[in-house]
Each structure stands twice: as C-alpha cells, then as structure tokens.
Amino acid sequence: RRPGKWFLTKVANYLSGLRIPDLNSGFRLIRKSRLEEFEYLLPNGFSFSTTITLAMLKAAYNIKYVPINTNIRSSGVSRVLQGRDGAITLLLIIRCISLFNPLKVYIPIALVLIITSFLFGAYGIYVFQSLPKSSILIFLTGVMLMFLGILSDQISMVWRNKYS
C-alpha cells in the first residue's frame, strides 16, 4: 500500500498547494459547525478524512498537525482494497480540488495535450511531410479543456462567493 499512499499524497499536495503530512489518517478533531459547512462534499464511507482535510485546507481554515504514536496492528486485516479504494480516493481528491481550484486540474492536462500535439505534428511533418489530423484533434482537445478549466474556475468563484 505504501506506493499508493505516496502517490495519493503527492497528488493531494500538488493539487492543494500545501504539504499534508498524513492524508489518510482517520484521526481528526473538527468543530461540528465547520464540518457541517462541507457536509454536501463528504462521501458516505471511505475517504471522509481525505475529503474533509482538503476542503478545510482549500477554504483556508487553520489546520494544526499533531504527531501521534500508534501501535502496529496486532490482529485482523485491513479492509482497504488497494486498487478500488485508491482510485476512489484519487477521484475524491480531484473532485474536491476541482470545486475549489479547477485550474490546478485542467490546465496541466490541457498543456500536456497541447505540447503533445505540437510534438506529434512536428514529427508528422518531418517524417511524412504532412500535418497529422490527429495532432490537430489533440490540440483542439487541449484548448477546449483549457477553456473548460477557465469556465469551471469562474463558476467556482461565483459559487464560493455565494455560499461564503
């Protein structure tokens, strides 16, 4: 599970713009009034702690990390299914950050597509002396994704101002 936790933490740190020491820890102390602000975001089960942590961070609430000591599990088996629960957690991280800062999600993907289209187009022109139609399609997809990110960011700003 360690590589998966490392990857999810890196994604969450990048998307949130902050260092989160233990994203998966279930130990949280939160005022009920703060928790109720984000009730609509929270999943019914797995990844509650991840979602509330990201929501609190992106809403600029003060968060204090306190190290704790735990004992190694002496019996029983973890019920976490690495592939399924890891994918669910990744989607929740992207969903949560998309609500607060969609450009962190959309712009990097759009730039990768646009750069890929230029590289693929240059390769096609160099090797085949013609611009591949797929490079144009990749470029347009990147541009549309970039504009979708900008639109999502505007909607997010209006939404945050309306409910804050």
Side-chain angles (χ1 to χ4, degrees):
R1 292 188 325 201
R2 196 164 291 182
K5 288 177 77 169
W6 175 85
F7 176 73
L8 290 174
T9 299
K10 290 295 182 190
V11 169
N13 287 345
Y14 165 72
L15 291 175
S16 69
L18 300 164
R19 185 179 174 282
I20 304 169
D22 191 357
L23 181 66
N24 299 94
S25 171
F27 296 117
R28 301 284 186 270
L29 181 63
I30 305 167
R31 285 192 177 96
K32 184 179 178 186
S33 60
R34 296 278 192 243
L35 187 67
E36 288 171 342
E37 289 179 41
F38 302 105
E39 190 173 7
Y40 63 95
L41 284 178
L42 302 175
N44 290 330
F46 190 74
S47 295
F48 164 85
S49 58
T50 301
T51 305
I52 195 63
T53 299
L54 291 169
M56 300 285 281
L57 284 170
K58 294 314 292 178
Y61 285 122
N62 290 328
I63 294 179
K64 181 178 179 181
Y65 297 101
V66 179
I68 59 169
N69 294 319
T70 60
N71 297 325
I72 295 174
R73 182 191 314 251
S74 60
S75 65
V77 180
S78 173
R79 289 182 273 166
V80 174
L81 299 174
Q82 296 170 22
R84 185 195 66 161
D85 292 337
I88 290 170
T89 302
L90 179 61
L91 288 174
L92 285 169
I93 291 169
I94 292 170
R95 176 180 166 224
C96 192
I97 298 303
S98 293
L99 285 171
F100 292 95
N101 190 356
L103 293 179
K104 277 275 199 168
V105 175
Y106 288 102
I107 295 299
I109 297 170
L111 289 176
V112 166
L113 289 172
I114 290 169
I115 291 168
T116 300
S117 73
F118 280 116
L119 294 174
F120 190 59
Y123 175 78
I125 290 171
Y126 179 74
V127 173
F128 304 110
Q129 283 78 42
S130 69
L131 182 65
K133 292 176 185 170
S134 55
S135 70
I136 297 169
L137 181 63
I138 295 169
F139 175 78
L140 292 174
T141 303
V143 170
M144 287 190 306
L145 198 57
M146 184 172 56
F147 284 116
L148 180 63
I150 292 168
L151 179 63
S152 296
D153 189 59
Q154 294 299 308
I155 292 169
S156 175
M157 288 176 125
V158 168
W159 176 79
R160 280 194 313 266
N161 289 336
K162 182 178 179 181
Y163 292 105
S164 58

